[in-house]
Amino acid sequence: MSDNLYKQAPKKPSTWTALSNTTFKWLWLATLISNIGSWMHEVGAGWLMTSLTSSTVIVALLQTATSLPSFFFMLPAGALGDIFDKRDFLLFSNITMAICAASLAVLTSLDLVGPWILLTFTFLLGVGMAMNLPTWQSIVPEIVPRHDLQGAIGLNTLGQNISRAIGPLIAGLLISSLGTVAVFICNAFSFIFIIVVLVLWERQKTQHSLPPENLISAIISGFKYARYSKPLQATIIRTIGFYFFASIMWSLLPVLTRDVLNGDEHTYSWLFSSISVGAITMAFLLPRLRQFFSHDQLINLSGMVFAAAISLTALVQDVRAALVTLALCGAAWISMMTSAQMAAQTALPNWIRSRGLAVFLTCFMGALAIGPVVWGTLAEHTSIPVAFIVSSVGLFFSTLYTRRFPVSGNTALDLSPSGHWLKLEPVLNVNQGQGPVLIQVHYRVQPSSRTLFISTLIQLGQIRLRDGATSWQYFEQVMEPEYFVEVFTLPSWLDHLRQYERITKQDATIQIKIKDYLQEGTVAEVVRFIRPEI
């Protein structure tokens, strides 16, 4: 398969442009088929659980079993995706999920599945998804050019919702005619196509001048980047603020269908599919809407529409009305998801992309894991309509609060490597693993620029910590005002060399500002110290 990229950007935004890229097209189709199988499992497992137990908490725990593995495995998976070849890692995770799905099908056919066995296998499939998702999302920017990235992300979410529309319909037909076991068998077979496509993908491996980080170091780097990257933090806050409350839709939809709308498995599959119909419709409208609305405005609108529609679903208690309101929920869901994923992708440089997305997805899936427990417990102690209304009110106020964390500016960030630091040639014979390393940077600042210099230097300190520094401080000379020294430490010389690869063009603008605040005829003087080996 070819990895050729476009040379010219399209004149008008289009959902389908990225499919002209051969590699992306086949991976997208393969993922679509796999997702159809996954949504078939979601419906089959949800309906099977309602026949195995009457507890709304245990039914809601199915969503938790799908999402909870992200807490434990998403970030290590993202680190492994940055360390090892991404294609090989995706192969491993998809083969693992295929084995789990086939095992569940066999146990179900033998009548050996109870509530806890079903939860266990759903949890194992959730582990596979947690291993797969960060790496899959991180390869999209390397396959398609930046001007097609938003369309590619839109296509991925569109594919998820096409599969969400098709999968439940197929699952409903299979459950009514052949039973749940047929659904689980189809899910197992759905992994075959993506495995074949990954085997045939001739991915060009990225060459690095420095050795890769070990797993623990890579995980710590992922946490540090998320801790000190304000664009990524804002994206995570907005995502949690929406999906914690919106998670009630998927987690309590089976019992809403059974107990409030008095429906059967066919009603459930139609309601499930109506969500996806709304999402698919919105996916086609989003490119045009983005010409008039920013990501933040779309996120605000999505929150308000979802809050209104989900409350109406519980209050009206009519199947036909629910088909309309849940379609609106689906439209709001994909609008929010596409905006959040675009904000997360554009907040991350290539070197940390899998890990950064893993942190973002961990928080996203965490909201989907914790939310269902809250809403299931609330529904059991009050009623299903009360739980829906409480989540709606919560989402309304959460949307108002999280507006103070804008993400629209992420797309303007240039996070490509700047390469503006001069190559370092130490006089000492320094080993890469030697350390710790102490860096001092001395500045003589114009008196009129002192305040601006300090605020900009603090921004630079966040960059130092984000890219590997273990501590950072700055001081002013008490006998010579406007003479500052910046001090930071790193674990080893290798970590200092990695800073040279990680500094971006966006970071370079901060250093240019600092240079403008210095006294005429002076430059920043850098002094490096390292603990000597005895």
Side-chain angles (χ1 to χ4, degrees):
M1 296 184 185
S2 172
D3 285 313
N4 291 335
L5 307 179
Y6 289 114
K7 295 181 179 179
Q8 294 182 346
K11 294 181 180 179
K12 294 182 180 180
S14 171
T15 304
W16 305 102
T17 306
L19 289 179
S20 299
N21 184 293
T22 305
T23 301
F24 179 80
K25 177 179 68 177
W26 286 108
L27 285 171
W28 184 81
L29 288 172
T31 305
L32 174 64
I33 293 172
S34 178
N35 285 341
I36 289 173
S38 297
W39 283 110
M40 289 174 65
H41 168 86
E42 190 93 359
V43 173
W47 196 252
L48 178 59
M49 187 63 86
T50 60
S51 66
L52 296 174
T53 180
S54 60
S55 170
T56 56
V57 173
I58 294 179
V59 173
L61 280 176
L62 269 176
Q63 180 66 53
T64 300
T66 299
S67 307
L68 189 61
S70 301
F71 274 125
F72 302 103
F73 299 103
M74 191 77 81
L75 187 53
L80 291 170
D82 280 331
I83 293 172
F84 296 108
D85 179 73
K86 288 179 168 55
R87 187 199 71 132
D88 295 341
F89 192 72
L90 288 170
L91 266 174
F92 170 79
S93 60
N94 279 279
I95 290 172
T96 301
M97 285 190 285
I99 293 172
C100 288
S103 300
L104 178 59
V106 171
L107 290 175
T108 306
S109 67
L110 297 175
D111 253 348
L112 298 176
V113 174
W116 294 107
I117 291 178
L118 182 56
L119 282 172
T120 299
F121 273 94
T122 300
F123 180 84
L124 291 174
L125 287 168
V127 171
M129 180 182 68
M131 300 292 284
N132 182 77
L133 199 54
T135 304
W136 161 240
Q137 291 200 2
S138 72
I139 66 173
V140 176
E142 84 174 53
I143 295 173
V144 300
R146 187 179 180 89
H147 56 71
D148 284 336
L149 180 58
Q150 190 160 272
I153 293 172
L155 278 167
N156 282 339
T157 51
L158 174 62
Q160 292 171 17
N161 286 281
I162 290 175
S163 62
R164 187 184 284 130
I166 297 174
L169 291 176
I170 298 174
L173 293 172
L174 288 177
I175 291 170
S176 61
S177 58
L178 299 175
T180 309
V181 65
V183 172
F184 296 153
I185 291 172
C186 288
N187 184 33
F189 276 103
S190 71
F191 290 99
I192 294 176
F193 187 26
I194 194 168
I195 291 171
V196 170
V197 172
L198 287 170
V199 168
L200 296 176
W201 178 25
E202 297 177 359
R203 178 176 180 265
Q204 293 182 354
K205 297 184 179 182
T206 304
Q207 299 297 322
H208 297 282
S209 59
L210 298 175
E213 296 177 84
N214 60 50
L215 179 59
I216 301 301
S217 175
I219 291 174
I220 292 173
S221 295
F223 274 122
K224 286 176 69 68
Y225 196 95
R227 167 67 180 83
Y228 294 107
S229 171
K230 289 186 178 180
L232 184 59
Q233 286 178 16
T235 304
I236 290 171
I237 291 170
R238 301 229 67 178
T239 300
I240 293 174
F242 181 91
Y243 287 108
F244 172 78
F245 298 99
S247 64
I248 193 173
M249 178 176 68
W250 300 115
S251 58
L252 293 187
L253 186 59
V255 289
L256 176 77
T257 305
R258 184 190 65 190
D259 299 340
V260 177
L261 300 177
N262 298 314
D264 55 16
E265 67 271 18
H266 296 293
T267 308
Y268 177 50
S269 64
W270 278 106
L271 291 173
F272 207 104
S273 297
S274 71
I275 299 171
S276 295
V277 169
I280 292 168
T281 303
M282 177 55 70
F284 287 107
L285 295 175
L286 272 175
R288 291 191 177 276
L289 289 176
R290 289 194 195 100
Q291 297 179 58
F292 305 100
F293 300 100
S294 68
H295 287 305
D296 288 303
Q297 290 170 330
L298 286 173
I299 289 172
N300 295 336
L301 186 60
S302 298
M304 296 302 179
V305 169
F306 194 102
I310 203 69
S311 61
L312 287 173
T313 303
L315 289 172
V316 176
Q317 298 183 11
D318 177 79
V319 173
R320 289 169 295 182
L323 289 171
V324 177
T325 56
L326 288 175
L328 289 173
C329 288
W333 184 284
I334 193 175
S335 176
M336 173 65 197
M337 181 178 289
T338 304
S339 297
Q341 287 186 355
M342 185 64 186
Q345 288 276 15
T346 51
L348 294 163
N350 288 333
W351 70 269
I352 197 73
R353 193 175 299 280
S354 289
R355 283 165 283 177
L357 287 172
V359 174
F360 164 73
L361 291 169
T362 296
C363 297
F364 166 68
M365 299 303 291
L368 295 183
I370 297 171
V373 178
V374 174
W375 308 125
T377 302
L378 181 61
E380 195 158 90
H381 286 83
T382 56
S383 67
I384 294 170
V386 167
F388 273 78
I389 292 168
V390 170
S391 71
S392 172
V393 173
L395 179 55
F396 175 81
F397 285 105
S398 173
T399 302
L400 292 179
Y401 175 78
T402 57
R403 288 185 304 170
R404 65 184 67 186
F405 302 98
V407 298
S408 296
N410 292 12
T411 53
L413 300 175
D414 187 351
L415 301 181
S416 57
S418 67
H420 72 283
W421 286 7
L422 297 177
K423 186 177 180 181
L424 189 60
E425 297 289 350
V427 176
L428 287 177
N429 185 18
V430 178
N431 297 320
Q432 287 189 343
Q434 189 175 340
V437 176
L438 173 69
I439 312 292
Q440 293 182 353
V441 188
H442 299 257
Y443 307 93
R444 295 185 181 275
V445 182
Q446 300 173 28
S448 60
S449 301
R450 182 179 180 276
T451 302
L452 289 172
F453 169 79
I454 291 175
S455 63
T456 309
L457 187 63
I458 291 172
Q459 294 180 51
L460 181 60
Q462 299 289 300
I463 294 170
R464 309 285 200 202
L465 293 165
R466 185 201 68 193
D467 288 354
T470 52
S471 65
W472 178 87
Q473 292 178 307
Y474 69 98
F475 304 90
E476 186 174 13
Q477 236 275 36
V478 294
M479 302 300 294
E480 190 176 349
E482 288 82 45
Y483 179 14
F484 287 82
V485 60
E486 174 193 7
V487 182
F488 59 99
T489 58
L490 298 110
S492 70
W493 188 253
L494 178 58
D495 290 296
H496 182 41
L497 294 178
R498 286 198 174 106
Q499 288 186 306
Y500 281 71
E501 292 189 343
R502 294 171 178 177
I503 198 76
T504 68
K505 292 179 180 178
Q506 190 68 33
D507 301 333
T509 63
I510 302 296
Q511 294 185 314
I512 290 172
K513 285 183 181 179
I514 287 179
K515 184 178 179 181
D516 292 338
Y517 300 144
L518 300 184
Q519 294 179 13
E520 187 175 353
T522 67
V523 296
E525 298 178 3
V526 183
V527 184
R528 300 172 177 86
F529 300 89
I530 191 167
R531 178 179 293 170
E533 292 184 332
I534 300 175

